[in-house]
Amino acid sequence: MRILLLCSSFNGLTQRAWLELRRAGHDVSVELAVSEEAMVEAAEVAKPDLVICPFLKERVPSALWRAHRTVIVHPGPPGDRGPSSLDWAIREAESEWGVTALQAVEEMDAGPIWGYRTFVLPEEAPRKSALYNGPVADAAVELVVEVAGKAADASFEPVPLDYRSPEVRGRLRRAMRHADREFAWADSTQEIVRTVRAADGSPGGRARLCGLPVRVFDVYAGPVEVSGRPGEVVGRREGAVLVCTGDGSLWVGHVRMEREGAIKLPAAMALGELVAGAPERSGYSEITYDRSDGVGVVSFDFYNGAMSTEQCRRLAAALRYAAGQDTRVLVVRGGEVFSNGIHLNVIEASRHPELEAWMNINAINGVCREVIGCTGQLVVASLGGNAGAGGVMMGLGADRVVVRESVVLNPHYRTMGLFGSEFWTYVLPRRVGAEVALRLTQEALPVGAAQAVEVGLADRVLGGSRLEFERRVLEYAERLAVDPGYDRLLAGRRKAREADERRKPLDAFRAEELAEMSRDMFDDRNGFREARRAFVHKVKASGTPEHLARHRELSGASAPAVAGASHM
């Protein structure tokens, strides 16, 4: 079938839908919904058999849905309606939630139902972004493939929305207002956590901190026994601050000041001198090390997968420590997002952004070098979450790369106006060959888990929830540690590294990449400065990104290319 994906952005969910539909054999094109005119024109040119909207904030024009079967993927169970579905589900502690595919009609979210999925919500409030990128995305991708199958069946008719049906348990909910996201530090820790997580990663919980109005993100319960008034900052650690609540305390990882042009930043950085005197406290860490049965595990979980200079330095130190232990296998495990490379928000907020970018790329290179250079243990990269740019390359330095089946990789830098570093000119061709490496970095298209194994980016795919995936990777590492051929495998790693170093030292790859990056960062030859600002300030794209438009033309859908920056 010819399928047109209409979306507000080519985000992780849309990328997964695009990948799965193409894998099922469909001819899929993508159009950003920048205006009603662009949406209607895209459909007129593409002449799709079906239009699917996996992530769409805008209303579908009647001229489009009247002319083409158009299916909306809504992040709520049948009958749920409104723009704040996930926010309310978290805020009201729903025990079960769902995703519904429904046909576009005049009334928002009221069309006949093509299919739905439900899932259990955890008792502890999930972060909205984690819920969206996890269970919601999994269910949505299943539905998108199901919808395409049903659309090919001439006898299929969607079921009209009927609130008398026992399957229809949702309801119309109003949009959340600013007042719904406000909290007082005198509230209980759990109340604050639920309020903030219902608004994380956007628009954040609303409060005052250090006398200033802020948006709060990335929160975790702190110790109950603390001395201080509600709202008082009584500690700091690794960029987070510890704030007293009505019945304990709360670690706040990120905030955004309530002022024009402010961006989301690590809390200690955003508050600056206001919290400089707060003492260092334990109980919060983005990086941990555990060991058992011959396996050492370095786990890191950086908010949204962004890695600042300081975070990279801490991670490199942790990897050095782990490499020096008497374990046989080292697992390098990411968090909700494995890694997206350098921290663009911290860079943009710095007094000298280009200099900070330069320091950041050098620091992440240090992380990648620790992974590549660990020859005393076999190294397993555990990618339970998406990865992009330098985050992908960091994982490729390992002996074995294991990805969760829902993971999407974006092994490229071009859409951000960068040549790239992180030893990608070494690790990527080594795995996939020079021709595929060139294609991946130049086409700048996402790669699904199954495709990653097919082309050599990854070694195996494992399913399950993130916790199940991590358990299975650990079991795999434990088997590797006692493998009868372990000594041969480790000797092979050492021999290959020594041979590669003689052929061309890592320092040479690093120097060549940094020479290119210096021109991108300081001379701005490919628009890094503007692309970075657009990403950080969430500037709406003016059109479908050039690389997606070009792919659309090459795949047979001849809609015209429209210029616009892409940030994934």
Side-chain angles (χ1 to χ4, degrees), residues 44-314:
E44 289 175 349
V45 174
K47 297 179 173 58
D49 302 303
L50 178 67
V51 178
I52 301 179
C53 308
F55 170 62
L56 188 66
K57 297 179 179 179
E58 295 76 15
R59 180 183 292 273
V60 178
S62 60
L64 193 155
W65 59 259
R66 292 184 191 281
H68 303 275
R69 283 184 301 179
T70 302
V71 176
I72 309 290
V73 178
H74 176 75
D80 179 80
R81 298 170 60 196
S84 304
S85 296
L86 296 183
D87 314 58
W88 285 118
I90 297 168
R91 184 68 183 272
E92 297 184 351
E94 296 283 354
S95 60
E96 185 181 82
W97 204 242
V99 177
T100 307
L102 46 90
Q103 192 155 321
V105 294
E106 188 65 39
E107 196 173 356
M108 289 279 282
D109 303 331
I113 296 169
W114 283 63
Y116 68 92
R117 295 285 189 280
T118 58
F119 48 83
V120 175
L121 289 178
E123 285 188 22
E124 182 181 359
R127 210 159 68 192
K128 183 171 67 169
S129 58
L131 178 61
Y132 178 82
N133 292 318
V136 170
D138 292 343
V141 171
E142 283 186 17
L143 276 176
V144 163
V145 175
E146 179 184 311
V147 164
K150 288 177 174 177
D153 180 0
S155 65
F156 172 76
E157 288 291 335
V159 179
L161 176 62
D162 183 357
Y163 281 97
R164 295 169 298 180
S165 169
E167 293 182 343
V168 179
R169 288 173 287 177
R171 66 180 191 274
L172 174 63
R173 300 169 189 247
R174 63 174 174 79
M176 266 204 178
R177 306 185 184 107
H178 288 320
D180 298 314
R181 305 190 189 278
E182 292 176 352
F183 66 89
W185 294 108
D187 296 342
S188 73
T189 297
Q190 290 308 312
E191 284 181 274
I192 298 172
V193 166
R194 191 164 289 281
T195 300
V196 172
R197 289 186 178 172
D200 201 341
S202 178
R206 303 185 76 199
R208 295 186 71 84
L209 191 55
C210 298
L212 300 173
V214 297
R215 295 290 179 122
V216 179
F217 309 84
D218 186 25
V219 295
Y220 302 88
V224 174
E225 299 298 328
V226 291
S227 178
R229 302 179 308 278
E232 182 180 353
V233 174
V234 294
R236 53 184 289 169
R237 182 174 173 83
E238 297 182 359
V241 296
L242 185 64
V243 187
C244 292
T245 65
D247 62 356
S249 64
L250 190 72
W251 285 104
V252 175
H254 287 74
V255 301
R256 188 183 75 231
M257 298 298 181
E258 288 270 30
R259 62 169 182 260
E260 186 71 25
I263 60 178
K264 191 188 305 182
L265 292 169
M269 179 181 179
L271 296 167
E273 290 299 317
L274 295 173
V275 297
E280 284 285 326
R281 297 283 293 255
S282 61
Y284 173 91
S285 185
E286 298 172 310
I287 305 169
T288 59
Y289 177 72
D290 300 285
R291 53 178 293 168
S292 65
D293 299 324
V295 176
V297 182
V298 172
S299 301
F300 57 95
D301 194 353
F302 300 131
Y303 187 69
N304 290 340
M307 298 170 60
S308 68
T309 302
E310 181 57 33
Q311 288 170 319
C312 288
R313 289 171 178 166
R314 283 193 273 111

